């Protein structure tokens, strides 16, 4: 596995080491005001929100924003499987993988037809972009997607991004478009991600909207539940996690209700709607974000306390002498999790050696391990935020 080109400059000396799972020290009003300056926006809309005149309302808002402010927008859209279920005459969303793929294939054309018709009415062009996790984990395909999206935006088109569910078996089973939107955020260099849902935002224990979240771990994660609609797969837990990941890419995130009239316009105008997660002050570069939140670890490297401290506070490479052992099977260039003696994942990185070589050289000093005793170089290492 190799890394994609990084066209987003890291901000600050600790760009690869997010210090905390928290938003910058902005008051809610200041954070809302920052939304007015956002120029590139990703809107993710879920299956349950795409019914009735949803496409027409979305197209009208996008057209108005484009005409009034010149902002560029990208849409990450669910809905293919739900539409395919109806097209194939199925009574409910199937559980069998082959039927899920069949529904996705049948529904994708219907989904794009709805977008074509709605956006055509307001004079806008749309373009379909189908992605899988494998596309985003591969350097060449990631850069091809980045270039294609940039060209579409330059041409004035609205990219409509969806998972390629007809072939991506793993994505249907484990993934969802909230996470896809978070992965696409650094790819598009977006500064605002809007996650539209069937609820007004994150709700507290009394059912009241939480307007502003500074720390996902302390303020949001325990409030998020799972999807129970039977239509979509994301749920609030997925949206909260997607929000956390996107903020580390330098993007503000708002979870809002798709049914509210003018919701996108109200969000970018700084109104107090939805739940706002503000971008972290020291964002990850696109490459570091790719390592931490797109690549899936092929194994794990267990480090001792000294190595864990050096990684976390001194931005040091992982050397063989600090390795206690390995888990799984990985090759040079593969993504790996870095685990401390307590079993906590503290970092992710790209291995410089295979699992067998890392195990063979574990606990050995350079004179014993050989000249190349670096297991993960600090340039390929991302310290995960503390929870």
């Amino acid at each position: 596995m190799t890394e994609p080109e990084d066209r987003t400059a890291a901000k600050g000396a600790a760009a690869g080491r997010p210090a905390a799972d928290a938003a910058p020290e902005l008051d809610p009003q200041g954070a809302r005001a920052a939304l007015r300056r956002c120029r590139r926006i990703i809107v993710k809309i879920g299956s349950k929100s795409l019914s009735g005149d949803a496409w027409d309302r979305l197209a009208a808002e996008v057209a108005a924003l484009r005409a009034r402010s010149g902002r560029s927008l990208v849409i990450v859209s669910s809905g293919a499987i739900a539409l395919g279920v109806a097209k194939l005459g199925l009574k409910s969303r199937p559980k069998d993988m082959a039927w899920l793929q069949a529904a996705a294939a049948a529904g994708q054309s219907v989904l794009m037809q709805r977008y074509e018709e709605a956006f055509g009415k307001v004079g806008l062009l749309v373009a379909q972009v189908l992605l899988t996790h494998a596309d985003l984990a591969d350097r060449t395909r990631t850069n091809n997607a980045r270039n294609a999206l940039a060209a579409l935006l330059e041409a004035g088109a609205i990219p409509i991004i969806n998972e390629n569910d007809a072939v991506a078996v793993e994505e249907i089973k484990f993934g969802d478009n909230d996470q896809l939107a978070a992965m696409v955020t650094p790819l598009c260099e977006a500064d605002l991600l809007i996650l539209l849902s069937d609820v007004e935002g994150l709700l507290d224990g009394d059912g009241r909207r939480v307007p502003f979240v500074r720390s996902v771990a302390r303020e949001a994660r325990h409030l998020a539940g799972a999807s129970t609609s039977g239509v979509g797969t994301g749920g609030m837990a997925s949206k909260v996690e997607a929000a956390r990941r996107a903020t580390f890419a330098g993007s503000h995130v708002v979870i809002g209700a798709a049914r509210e009239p003018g919701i996108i316009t109200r969000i970018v105008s700084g109104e107090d709607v939805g739940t706002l997660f503000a971008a972290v002050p020291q964002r990850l570069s696109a490459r570091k974000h790719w390592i931490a939140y797109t690549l899936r670890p092929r194994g794990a490297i267990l480090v001792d306390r000294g190595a864990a401290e050096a990684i976390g506070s001194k931005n040091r490479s992982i050397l063989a002498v600090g390795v206690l052992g390995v888990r799984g099977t990985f090759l040079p260039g593969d993504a790996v999790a870095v685990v401390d003696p307590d079993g906590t994942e503290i970092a992710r990185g790209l291995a410089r050696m295979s699992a067998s070589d890392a195990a063979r050289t574990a606990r050995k000093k350079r004179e014993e391990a050989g000249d190349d005793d670096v297991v993960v170089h600090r340039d390929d290492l991302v310290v995960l935020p503390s929870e």
Side-chain angles (χ1 to χ4, degrees):
M1 241 178 239
T2 54
E3 67 276 8
E5 295 175 1
D6 181 9
R7 298 184 182 180
T8 307
K11 290 186 175 181
R17 298 158 47 219
D21 184 12
E25 293 303 317
L26 286 176
D27 59 82
Q29 290 75 22
R32 293 282 179 183
L35 300 182
R36 301 172 194 154
R37 299 188 291 272
C38 294
R39 308 305 300 171
R40 180 159 293 176
I41 302 166
I42 296 177
V43 178
K44 185 270 173 180
I45 186 164
S47 302
K48 197 173 182 182
S49 302
L50 285 171
S51 60
D53 64 347
W55 286 274
D56 288 333
R57 289 188 286 108
L58 180 60
E61 272 211 87
V62 171
L65 280 171
R66 284 272 300 268
R68 188 163 57 247
S69 62
R71 290 180 172 94
S72 58
L73 289 95
V74 174
I75 296 173
V76 175
S77 178
S78 300
I81 292 178
L83 290 169
V85 167
K87 185 176 180 179
L88 295 177
L90 304 178
K91 293 182 179 179
S92 62
R93 181 187 174 99
K95 298 186 184 331
D96 180 78
M97 189 60 62
W99 278 102
L100 282 170
Q101 291 174 292
Q108 194 62 242
S109 60
V110 181
L111 182 67
M112 283 308 300
Q113 182 181 14
R114 300 280 177 89
Y115 278 110
E116 289 274 6
E117 292 174 350
F119 281 75
K121 292 175 186 176
V122 293
L124 293 179
L125 299 174
V126 296
Q128 182 181 54
V129 180
L130 295 176
L131 296 172
T132 67
H133 184 272
D135 295 323
L136 298 179
D138 178 85
R139 177 188 181 188
T140 300
R141 283 185 279 176
T142 295
N143 288 329
N144 287 342
R146 185 200 310 273
N147 294 336
L149 288 168
L152 287 170
L153 291 170
E154 186 177 347
I158 307 295
I160 309 294
I161 301 175
N162 195 3
E163 286 181 324
N164 194 0
D165 289 338
V167 298
V169 173
E170 191 173 0
E171 272 73 6
I172 292 178
K173 188 174 182 181
F174 298 110
D176 62 72
N177 278 352
D178 297 318
Q179 303 309 312
L180 176 60
M183 294 177 194
V184 168
T185 296
L187 199 67
C188 296
E189 298 181 2
D191 44 15
L192 173 60
L193 169 61
I194 298 175
L195 299 171
L196 295 180
S197 180
D198 56 333
V199 295
E200 60 179 333
L202 178 67
L203 305 179
D204 65 16
D206 296 321
R208 294 173 298 190
R209 176 178 62 92
V210 177
F212 187 61
V213 172
R214 288 185 174 85
S215 169
V216 168
R218 293 191 300 272
E219 302 173 22
R221 192 168 285 150
H222 67 287
L223 298 175
S227 174
T228 58
S229 68
V231 178
T233 60
M236 188 55 67
S238 178
K239 288 174 177 56
V240 167
E241 177 59 20
R244 186 179 77 90
R245 295 182 177 198
T247 59
F248 284 112
S251 176
H252 303 292
V253 182
V254 177
I255 300 174
R259 68 178 181 273
E260 288 192 26
I263 184 64
I264 300 172
T265 302
R266 295 174 66 191
I267 288 171
V268 299
S269 297
E271 288 189 34
D272 183 12
V273 292
T275 300
L276 169 61
F277 302 74
V280 299
Q282 292 177 333
R283 70 179 179 181
L284 293 172
S285 67
R287 181 174 179 276
K288 294 280 189 178
H289 195 276
W290 178 74
I291 292 172
Y293 296 123
T294 297
L295 299 183
R296 292 173 176 167
R298 298 293 183 90
I301 295 172
L302 285 66
V303 298
D304 62 25
R305 296 203 183 279
E309 171 64 23
I311 294 165
S313 63
K314 300 177 183 178
N315 194 28
R316 297 286 177 81
S317 300
I318 300 176
L319 304 180
V321 68
V323 174
L324 296 174
V326 301
R327 295 174 184 161
T329 302
F330 53 86
L331 298 173
D334 283 346
V336 291
V338 181
V339 180
D340 70 11
D342 297 323
T344 302
E345 184 181 3
I346 60 172
R348 288 191 180 181
L350 302 179
R352 285 286 179 100
M353 59 178 67
S354 67
S356 58
D357 286 341
R360 177 179 55 81
T361 59
R363 311 301 291 160
K364 293 182 179 179
K365 296 182 180 179
R366 173 166 291 184
E367 53 268 25
E368 300 173 279
D371 291 338
D372 189 8
D373 64 337
V374 177
V375 182
V376 180
H377 194 274
R378 64 184 182 183
D379 291 343
D380 301 325
L381 189 64
V382 185
V383 177
L384 299 179
S386 58
E387 297 293 344

